[in-house]
């Protein structure tokens, strides 16, 4: 909405904008690292308001791990020109644990409260928590999306 003074104000809870990175048929996105590694999947949004709630949602139709593996992930953020870092309060989400070969959809979400209108960039990081062998955040031919939504406060 617009106030009498001409400034724009959105009612609390209203979606201000949405940005999305989507790939319909991906190649493997994998790592053998036991430390969190960048996925290369990125989505950016420049908030319209400096106090907005930012919702971050990642999903893929197929993740893959082998027997004894633990696929873990965390959402990282970059604010303006700062270095990318793990989102505050977000640990490594337990995405897939398998006692055998495991293929499954994977979803995880995070939230952030904007403190400025600097551009925000988000990227899932992931690792094999148990051993230095390949785990797949996204399996070949699977789709994935990273969606960032700004919600007025």
């Amino acid at each position: 909405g617009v106030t009498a003074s001409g400034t724009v104000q959105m009612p609390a809870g209203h979606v201000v904008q949405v940005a999305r990175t989507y790939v319909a048929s991906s190649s493997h996105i994998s790592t053998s690292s036991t430390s969190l590694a960048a996925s290369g999947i990125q989505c950016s949004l420049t908030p319209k308001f400096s106090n907005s709630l930012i919702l971050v949602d990642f999903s893929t139709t197929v993740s893959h791990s082998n027997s004894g593996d633990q696929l873990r992930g965390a959402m990282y953020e970059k604010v303006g020109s700062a270095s990318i870092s793990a989102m505050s309060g977000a640990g490594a989400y337990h995405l897939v644990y398998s006692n055998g070969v495991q293929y499954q959809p994977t979803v995880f979400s995070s939230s952030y409260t904007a403190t400025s209108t600097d551009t925000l960039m988000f990227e899932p990081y992931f690792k094999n928590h148990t051993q230095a062998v390949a785990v797949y955040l996204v399996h070949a031919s699977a789709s994935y999306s990273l969606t960032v939504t700004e919600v007025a406060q």
Side-chain angles (χ1 to χ4, degrees):
V2 178
T3 66
S5 65
T7 59
V8 175
Q9 287 186 320
M10 295 293 292
H14 281 69
V15 171
V16 177
Q17 62 178 320
V18 177
R20 182 176 185 224
T21 298
Y22 172 75
V23 171
S25 183
S26 177
S27 57
H28 282 306
I29 299 176
S30 65
T31 188
S32 296
S33 178
T34 55
S35 298
L36 289 167
S39 66
I41 301 167
Q42 299 179 344
C43 188
S44 296
L45 180 140
T46 302
K48 302 290 185 194
F49 303 100
S50 61
N51 66 338
S52 293
L53 175 63
I54 308 297
L55 304 176
V56 184
D57 299 295
F58 173 77
S59 64
T60 180
T61 54
V62 182
S63 290
H64 171 212
S65 65
N66 292 300
S67 184
D69 293 338
Q70 288 185 30
L71 172 60
R72 294 200 180 180
M75 193 61 67
Y76 274 51
E77 66 185 349
K78 181 176 189 248
V79 180
S81 60
S83 297
I84 194 163
S85 61
M87 290 183 73
S88 176
Y93 299 104
H94 193 148
L95 303 176
V96 178
Y97 174 77
S98 87
N99 290 322
V101 176
Q102 184 75 33
Y103 298 89
Q104 70 182 47
T106 296
V107 176
F108 66 101
S109 301
S110 299
S111 65
Y112 172 82
T113 300
T115 57
S116 72
T117 55
D118 289 342
T119 298
L120 304 171
M121 188 275 289
F122 297 93
E123 179 175 3
Y125 274 53
F126 67 113
K127 69 178 182 174
N128 187 334
H129 186 68
T130 55
Q131 55 191 339
V133 298
V135 289
Y136 302 84
L137 181 63
V138 180
H139 195 275
S141 301
S143 66
Y144 67 78
S145 68
L146 178 58
T147 305
V148 180
T149 305
E150 179 180 6
V151 179
Q153 294 302 291

